[in-house]
């Protein structure tokens, strides 16, 4: 959704990314970094003086002793597949979790009890305030993780990768994970398509686990199917939950009987009150209009304005 960008790039290496950022600085171009795009809403009228940079092609998965180095563009759902290969349950929560690892680290992506901040040990980043643009690293203990919160949201840093500790587990086979990665790379431009994402990761997981698919993996498949997460284009949960209220935003919108409300080509999902879906060539304006309608109704009934989780990129 949104308009066509004048400048768009998807670097494949950190070297290419650094070169691109230097080019933006020299040409006085603004830039914005994103991952697979599953949590962003682009403006219908993009900034013509801005480079839109997706890190979804930054794809590196290196098996080291006791740890994996995983680059920012690797989809989080790849960790669940790698976990199955070493028979670890620690990464199951990432099964079908849309989005790249870089964004997951930035937003502390979660699924029920599992969150990205709990499985990484160190994050590698470029500090845009440092003129030399060298890769730096920070241990997870200093990343200030909370509910959908991290230190990265307050810093001019670009996450390029992370270490994941797999101490005590058998060594992952580098060729095995690379063959999955090669099949993923064949998706080319479809990496941002939620339906393709679902087909790929659900299929790979079935191939690895059937007929003994772990219960939690089955539950994830059922939850996503029940909420029809991958049937229409959406940005996942539109608002962050407000835990002071004691009920999720989805439940509040449901309570207000707003599911199914439309605006242009957009609609509040009939299946989940915190999901705004693109049913018929919606514009970003249509989605933002629904955001306003929900915010007003929640403010009137519950006295607070919900905070969007989706990042709106101008
Ligand atoms: N639980 C669920 O069902 C769902 C979860 N999600 C979650 O939403 C997120 C979306 O992932 P994805 O689609 O890849 O992300 P997006 O492309 O939607 O990027 C989201 C934002 O993350 C920041 N970001 C992304 N990559 C980097 C990076 N390498 N370094 C610094 N900041 C970065 C940027 O913020 P800024 O512009 O402010 O710098 C960007 O605007 C993930 O956390 C995903 O798990 C999404 C949908 C459903
Ligand atoms: C989808 C995202 O993340 C999701 C994540 O997948 C799920 C599972 O862990 O938990 C959060 O959703 P959520 O709080 O809406 O979780 P759900 O389990 O779907 O709903 C919570 C409760 O509200 C009820 N509910 C939800 C929607 C609705 O229309 N009606 C309703 O009654 C559900 O039945 C459930 O009892 C994350 N969202 C946020 C904002 O925290 C995302 O980040 O984009």
């Amino acid at each position: 959704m949104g308009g066509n960008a004048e400048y768009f790039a998807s670097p494949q290496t950190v070297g290419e990314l650094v070169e691109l950022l230097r080019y933006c600085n020299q040409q006085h171009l603004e830039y914005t970094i994103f991952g697979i795009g599953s949590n962003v809403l682009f403006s219908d009228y993009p900034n013509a003086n801005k480079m839109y940079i997706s890190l979804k092609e930054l794809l590196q998965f290196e098996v080291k002793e006791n740890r994996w180095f995983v680059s920012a563009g690797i989809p989080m759902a790849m960790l669940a597949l790698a976990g199955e290969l070493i028979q670890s349950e620690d990464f199951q929560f990432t099964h079908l979790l849309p989005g790249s690892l870089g964004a997951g680290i930035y937003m502390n992506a979660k699924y029920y009890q599992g969150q990205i901040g709990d499985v990484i040990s160190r994050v590698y980043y470029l500090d845009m305030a440092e003129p030399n643009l060298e890769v730096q690293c920070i241990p997870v203990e200093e990343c200030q993780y909370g509910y959908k919160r991290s230190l990265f949201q307050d810093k001019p840093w670009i996450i390029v990768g992370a270490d994941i500790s797999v101490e005590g587990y058998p060594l992952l086979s580098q060729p095995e994970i690379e063959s999955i990665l090669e099949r993923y790379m064949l998706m080319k431009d479809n990496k941002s398509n939620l339906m393709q994402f679902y087909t790929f990761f659900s299929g790979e997981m079935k191939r690895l686990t059937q007929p003994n698919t772990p219960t939690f993996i089955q539950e994830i498949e059922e939850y996503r199917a029940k909420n029809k997460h991958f049937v229409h284009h959406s940005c996942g949960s539109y608002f962050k939950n407000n835990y002071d209220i004691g009920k999720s935003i989805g439940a509040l919108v449901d309570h207000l009987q707003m599911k199914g409300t439309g605006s242009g080509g957009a609609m509040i999902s009939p299946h989940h009150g915190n999901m705004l879906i693109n049913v018929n060539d919606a514009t970003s304006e249509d989605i933002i209009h629904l955001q306003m309608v929900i915010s007003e109704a929640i403010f009137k009934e519950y006295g607070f304005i919900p905070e969007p989780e989706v990042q709106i990129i101008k």
Side-chain angles (χ1 to χ4, degrees), residues 192-245:
S192 298
N193 179 312
L194 274 186
M195 296 80 174
Q196 300 281 338
F197 165 86
Y198 168 74
T199 306
F200 180 84
F201 283 102
S202 185
E204 290 287 331
M205 185 55 90
K206 283 195 181 84
R207 189 182 59 77
L208 288 183
T209 60
Q210 270 182 349
N212 301 312
T213 306
T215 310
F216 191 38
I217 296 287
Q218 289 176 33
E219 285 170 3
I220 292 172
E221 295 264 353
E222 282 159 21
Y223 172 83
R224 301 282 181 188
K226 185 184 97 197
N227 291 317
K228 306 238 181 314
H229 265 196
F230 303 121
V231 173
H232 290 289
H233 296 290
S234 84
C235 307
S237 289
Y238 196 88
F239 297 101
K240 290 185 187 177
N241 285 327
N242 177 346
Y243 286 115
D244 293 344
I245 297 294

Side-chain angles (χ1 to χ4, degrees), residues 53 82 87 116 164 185 207 252:
I53 306 174
Q87 280 163 16
I116 286 294
I164 294 179
M185 283 169 173
R207 189 182 59 77
L252 298 184

